[in-house]
Amino acid sequence: MISKLSDFQVDETLHAAAPWSVCSATISSTSHPVRLTVFEQEISRQPGFRRAFKTDRGMLETLRHQSVVRFLGDGESDGRLFFWTEACESRSLASAIRDGRPLLVEDLIEIGWQVCSALQQAHNLGLSHGGISPDNILLSDNLQVCIADFGVHRWLKAAHVSEKGSNEGALQAASPPVSGSGWRKEVEKDLSDLATVLAGPVRRMIREATEAGIARPQGSGSLLRLLERMEQPNDLAQSVSARDMQGRLGELLIGGGDDEIPLLDQREQPAKSRRSIVDELFDPPAGNRHRQILPTEPASAETRWQTQILPIIVVLLLIIIVLLVAGLYR
């Protein structure tokens, strides 16, 4: 049974900045690779931080999504709280961008789509991430997303509030409500953070195209407009969920080649798109796809008029034919 930090063998430090660090480690007794997160003693002693950490632990244990690193356990050793999750060998989005990995517009849309899928499941449990960034969005070579550090930034915020002496504020930060304005802000922050992460590379590719005097990448304008709206949640007339943002990104992902991408029900012909990891992982059931393309609006007035007048025209034509035939036999 794992009870202290000495039960782990640290292989590589992935993040090291006060007041916490993340390491690639191995469980000594089993040689099982894990991602180990350790908090310093000072922050571990903060009541607000401890309350937030313990509150989220149960939800983290139940959160199961292929785009979220799986929470495996937690403990306290030498006054330091720690937890470990499954290992993820993928590189961070920040590292990929820094090393010049080419990311197309459709790649960024696909990354956002998968993150939204994970956020929606977490939000359904009453759990927000609290700090989506290029450092905790991990990417495999085939663009499979894995999100790390769920809740960490909210726990640190709760500790900061607690340090100021506001017990009520610390309690609210530690236990965000699953409804009301407080929870809406938690959801909006996750979506706003994600929009900011994706908007950076899009702005860069548009700027580079402009400086080079070439056409900007197809779809970049539509994507940037969507992300800029999501970056300003207070400007939205109504609450937007991760599923809403996912749907809008999906529209862009399966859209046509023009920068101005119409909605599905406004397109004259089905658009063609490449087969992506999102298509493979998250295809809806066939029955649902068929239901989505069935018309839902009632027939127009013109269509109803045509349906009613057609029998009358047929009858008149028959009468004229009968009269002509009768005239021939006279």
Side-chain angles (χ1 to χ4, degrees), residues 49-295:
F49 180 86
R50 297 182 70 88
R51 186 183 299 113
F53 180 79
K54 299 298 183 182
T55 299
D56 280 359
R57 180 175 56 188
M59 289 184 285
L60 287 170
E61 289 174 345
T62 61
L63 179 58
R64 294 288 185 271
H65 193 281
Q66 58 191 351
S67 292
V68 178
V69 292
R70 184 177 177 182
F71 184 88
L72 298 177
D74 67 290
E76 184 171 1
S77 179
D78 299 325
R80 292 180 291 176
L81 289 172
F82 65 92
F83 70 92
W84 65 100
T85 67
E86 63 183 357
C88 184
E89 297 181 356
S90 301
R91 299 169 57 200
S92 68
L93 176 59
S95 175
I97 293 174
R98 186 169 54 249
D99 294 344
R101 175 177 177 176
L103 292 172
L104 304 177
V105 171
E106 53 265 38
D107 295 334
L108 294 171
I109 293 174
E110 195 162 314
I111 291 168
W113 203 100
Q114 294 181 62
V115 174
C116 283
S117 176
L119 287 177
Q120 184 60 53
Q121 184 159 330
H123 292 167
N124 289 343
L125 295 173
L127 181 68
S128 63
H129 186 284
I132 291 287
S133 74
D135 292 314
N136 50 50
I137 295 178
L138 312 179
L139 295 179
S140 68
D141 291 338
N142 65 347
L143 287 184
Q144 173 64 51
V145 169
C146 200
I147 308 173
D149 306 334
F150 247 93
V152 171
H153 295 277
R154 289 195 303 100
W155 307 339
L156 297 175
K157 177 184 175 182
H160 180 70
V161 174
S162 177
E163 190 175 12
K164 288 186 174 181
S166 173
N167 292 330
E168 181 179 355
L171 182 59
Q172 292 176 352
S175 307
V178 294
S179 63
S181 60
W183 176 244
R184 175 176 174 176
K185 289 180 180 178
E186 294 281 344
V187 171
E188 287 179 346
K189 175 172 171 38
D190 278 352
L191 301 183
S192 177
D193 288 346
L194 173 58
T196 299
V197 168
L198 298 177
V202 179
R203 292 190 179 103
R204 186 181 306 110
M205 65 176 63
I206 291 177
R207 182 178 65 252
E208 291 175 350
T210 302
E211 293 173 352
I214 60 177
R216 64 187 182 183
Q218 289 186 332
S220 58
S222 297
L223 176 58
L224 184 58
R225 285 190 291 275
L226 169 61
L227 297 176
E228 287 178 340
R229 288 198 301 271
M230 299 304 300
E231 282 184 298
Q232 305 295 329
N234 292 331
D235 293 339
L236 299 176
Q238 58 184 3
S239 178
V240 176
S241 68
R243 183 175 289 111
D244 295 328
M245 185 175 179
Q246 180 186 17
R248 295 175 188 180
L249 289 169
E251 287 286 337
L252 298 179
L253 187 66
I254 64 175
D258 295 332
D259 191 58
E260 292 290 337
I261 303 176
L263 296 176
L264 283 172
D265 58 0
Q266 295 173 338
R267 296 178 191 149
E268 295 180 358
Q269 296 179 348
K272 294 182 179 180
S273 63
R274 66 181 176 87
R275 188 68 176 166
S276 68
I277 187 173
V278 172
D279 296 324
E280 296 169 358
L281 294 176
F282 303 104
D283 268 343
N288 290 342
R289 289 198 299 269
H290 291 307
R291 284 196 294 271
Q292 291 172 355
I293 63 175
L294 291 175

Side-chain angles (χ1 to χ4, degrees), residues 19-40:
W20 60 302
S21 62
V22 181
C23 302
S24 174
T26 303
I27 299 176
S28 301
S29 59
T30 63
S31 299
H32 184 74
V34 295
R35 181 183 174 96
L36 177 65
T37 302
V38 183
F39 299 95
E40 295 177 356

